[in-house]
Amino acid sequence: MNVRIEELAVRFGPVRALGGVSLGFRPGEVSVLAGPNGAGKSTLMSVILGLVRPDAGRVVANDRTVADSRHDAALSFRARLGYLPESVAFSENLTGRQVMRFFAMARGVGRERVEQVLERVGLGHAAGRSVGGYSRGMRQRLGLGVAILHSPELLILDEPTGGLDQQGITVLWEVLEEWRAAGRSIVLSTHELATIERRADRLFVLVDGRLEASGTPDQLRDQSGLEPTVRKGPGLDEVYEALIGRSSSDASHVH
Amino acid sequence: MVLFTLLFAMLAVGIAAYGRSAQDAAAVVTAPSLVTLIVFLVPLVALILGHDAIVGERERHTLGLLLSLPVHRVEVLVAKFLGRALALCGSIGLGLGAASLLLEPGQRSIVLGLVPSTLLLGASFLSIGVLISVASKRVATAASLAVVVWFLTVFIYDLVLLAIMVMTDGSVGQETITWLVTLNPAGLFRTQQMLQLVGQDGLAELGLAVTLPGALTRAAIWAGWIGLPLVLGGGLLSGRRAVTA
């Protein structure tokens, strides 16, 4: 699914969360939203998910407007999205399987798929246990399971690596590869650019609700002006620091 | 909810056991005591059940995931109401059902006759609780509001009406007072049950000359108390620009 964000603006009272951001997500690509806290990454995701109505601008999916200042994201569009929130939480009394079955019912997915996904995220053995007894990493994996349950065309992951255990990170990378190979889109936000470096196809650097820089990792390396090291180019975390640092000391935009 | 079910069933059974000892006294002892129990307990539990329906999900960070599903916000609100209403119905049914088992068949029908209007009373306050939940930013605020609403409707409202009657020395018309009583769901429930149990003459003997509006009007008042808060809540939730903020 081709998704375009056009001049998206969101204000919360006096605070500008997004100030006219335009960008696009392509099928078969992992797009990474990077930026410090309060940069607007989660707000951008919330607009796509229909949780926040923008003040201006629109979201376009396959050349059709699916959200704008008058309408929350269309239901038919939301049916094609999978979402993993940053602080994923479920009812503590339900078992992992019950949680998955609830979302499966809401998405019109069969029970067979529930078991398949539970195994996929490594929770098959713990599916009968209540979520209250899950570790943070297990909850995050359950959240990832909920997000991929209905094989969405666009997977939105808000800080997915935070709280994930090593098994969860391995599962996450595998899912990203599967989605990319299947020509589906992935959008994720992260602070840990070094972790995601090899998986990112396109990066969008947001600062104070504005798109500060965008491009492939190599394009951003060029834009940063950092010297390559002997073994390889500078790490993405260094590139990110350089871009952020430059934007705060110099008002000139990189893109 | 389990606690409420147990407490309600225990108290109702206790009242029934006490009423059983007074032969042929269901209309005088058991049912009026049950009406009093219901008027105090059911609105409180319904408000507590409803108060965190939406704000609780927001505070637990589960609302975003729920509303990212391809469903309208109003559908989520109505589903929350219906789920809770079902649980409340179960508890009320169990409590009154258990109490009726202790009674003679004649008395039993009087107690079981309380069930429909108790369900309406519960649904009305549940709906108000859900509205409070949509309007509040914090669970603690919603809980406080719920208790204030319970206190105002169950305790204060009748006292204020009484004060009006005393202070105006009866110059406020009987019809106005009747309307004011029935516009409060707790008052409507209480008056409806008392009229059913002791009749108009019985109430007059107690010094209460209240005549209820017709069945259709009463049905409209119940429908209003159940439907209006839900419509308002749905409107608030749908109109909110940032639903998880």
Side-chain angles (χ1 to χ4, degrees):
Chain A
M1 175 163 50
N2 256 310
V3 177
R4 273 195 337 267
I5 309 293
E6 295 182 355
E7 293 296 323
L8 212 58
V10 176
R11 292 193 80 89
F12 296 120
V15 180
R16 185 188 68 186
L18 289 174
V21 170
S22 297
L23 47 88
F25 310 125
R26 297 174 195 175
E29 280 192 358
V30 176
S31 303
V32 176
L33 299 176
N37 287 336
K41 308 185 296 288
S42 294
T43 304
L44 179 61
M45 290 180 162
S46 293
V47 172
I48 299 171
L49 290 159
L51 304 176
V52 171
R53 201 173 302 142
D55 293 306
R58 60 179 190 150
V59 179
V60 179
N62 293 342
D63 297 323
R64 200 179 132 239
T65 300
V66 290
D68 58 26
S69 58
R70 286 171 301 146
H71 307 99
D72 293 323
L75 296 191
S76 56
F77 172 63
R78 270 150 61 185
R80 294 148 74 192
L81 307 180
Y83 172 47
L84 172 65
E86 182 181 1
S87 314
V88 69
F90 304 101
S91 179
E92 304 266 303
N93 301 321
L94 297 179
T95 65
R97 181 175 286 113
Q98 286 170 328
V99 167
M100 289 290 271
R101 283 185 179 173
F102 168 76
F103 284 97
M105 209 161 64
R107 297 274 191 191
V109 173
R111 289 193 169 189
E112 203 175 298
R113 172 73 180 154
V114 166
E115 298 305 319
Q116 202 184 339
V117 171
L118 279 167
E119 289 297 333
R120 181 73 197 84
V121 296
L123 287 174
H125 66 289
R129 279 166 45 195
S130 63
V131 174
Y134 278 20
S135 67
R136 194 177 164 208
M138 288 167 84
R139 286 171 203 227
Q140 200 79 358
R141 273 189 277 148
L142 183 62
L144 182 61
V146 167
I148 63 171
L149 191 59
H150 54 298
S151 307
E153 289 175 55
L154 174 61
L155 197 50
I156 298 175
L157 312 169
D158 196 356
E159 302 280 354
T161 50
L164 267 185
D165 44 19
Q166 192 48 51
Q167 188 186 359
I169 288 182
T170 308
V171 171
L172 177 68
W173 298 153
E174 287 170 0
V175 166
L176 291 193
E177 287 311 320
E178 282 168 27
W179 248 247
R180 183 155 44 191
R184 300 187 184 122
S185 319
I186 300 129
V187 179
L188 64 88
S189 67
T190 186
H191 291 297
E192 299 162 40
L193 276 174
T195 328
I196 202 77
E197 182 168 358
R198 284 188 293 119
R199 276 99 187 170
D201 294 309
R202 201 165 295 276
L203 277 114
F204 301 98
V205 180
L206 293 167
V207 181
D208 290 334
R210 291 203 165 275
L211 185 64
E212 201 58 46
S214 67
T216 63
D218 284 339
Q219 286 170 337
L220 286 190
R221 280 191 185 94
D222 291 342
Q223 289 178 34
S224 72
L226 292 173
E227 289 298 317
T229 60
V230 176
R231 280 183 299 146
K232 57 170 188 170
L236 271 186
D237 47 349
E238 296 170 78
V239 170
Y240 167 73
E241 290 298 336
L243 288 166
I244 297 293
R246 199 163 76 187
S247 93
S248 56
S249 60
D250 177 355
S252 66
H253 287 189
V254 183
H255 56 156
Chain B
M1 201 59 215
V2 176
L3 264 179
F4 163 69
T5 309
L6 287 176
L7 180 69
F8 185 63
M10 265 170 49
L11 291 171
V13 165
I15 289 170
Y18 175 70
R20 195 183 175 183
S21 60
Q23 287 293 317
D24 300 325
V28 190
V29 180
T30 315
S33 305
L34 281 175
V35 168
T36 307
L37 172 72
I38 290 165
V39 160
F40 283 116
L41 210 54
V42 171
L44 179 65
V45 172
L47 284 165
I48 287 173
L49 259 182
H51 88 280
D52 78 334
I54 297 297
V55 73
E57 294 274 1
R58 192 186 301 146
E59 222 165 87
R60 289 190 293 273
H61 301 289
T62 48
L63 189 62
L65 191 55
L66 201 59
L67 293 179
S68 70
L69 291 169
V71 289
H72 290 288
R73 293 175 186 181
V74 174
E75 288 178 85
V76 172
L77 187 81
V78 172
K80 289 265 172 202
F81 170 79
L82 288 178
R84 283 161 166 75
L86 208 63
L88 193 62
C89 284
S91 298
I92 290 168
L94 274 175
L96 291 180
S100 73
L101 286 178
L102 286 182
L103 299 169
E104 300 295 323
Q107 296 188 354
R108 192 174 297 161
S109 61
I110 296 177
V111 170
L112 289 178
L114 293 173
V115 173
S117 43
T118 305
L119 296 182
L120 289 174
L121 178 74
S124 304
F125 279 94
L126 180 62
S127 184
I128 297 169
V130 170
L131 171 62
I132 288 173
S133 180
V134 176
S136 305
K137 291 236 172 207
R138 299 255 177 278
V139 172
T141 316
S144 311
L145 266 174
V147 172
V148 167
V149 167
W150 175 71
F151 197 69
L152 286 177
T153 49
V154 173
F155 289 101
I156 303 295
Y157 193 83
D158 285 355
L159 288 177
V160 170
L161 290 188
L162 202 63
I164 291 173
M165 285 170 75
V166 170
M167 284 165 68
T168 56
D169 204 16
S171 62
V172 176
Q174 186 60 48
E175 203 177 329
T176 313
I177 293 294
T178 302
W179 269 107
L180 288 173
V181 168
T182 51
L183 280 178
N184 172 3
L188 177 60
F189 172 81
R190 198 165 12 211
T191 316
Q192 204 169 281
Q193 296 312 320
M194 294 311 282
L195 267 175
Q196 212 163 12
L197 291 171
V198 298
Q200 196 75 56
D201 296 339
L203 276 185
E205 275 176 32
L206 293 168
L208 298 167
V210 177
T211 44
L212 278 177
L216 211 62
T217 313
R218 274 181 288 164
I221 294 173
W222 282 124
W225 273 113
I226 297 168
L228 204 63
L230 277 183
V231 170
L232 285 175
L236 262 179
L237 192 63
S238 297
R240 195 163 285 162
R241 204 169 59 83
V243 79
T244 50

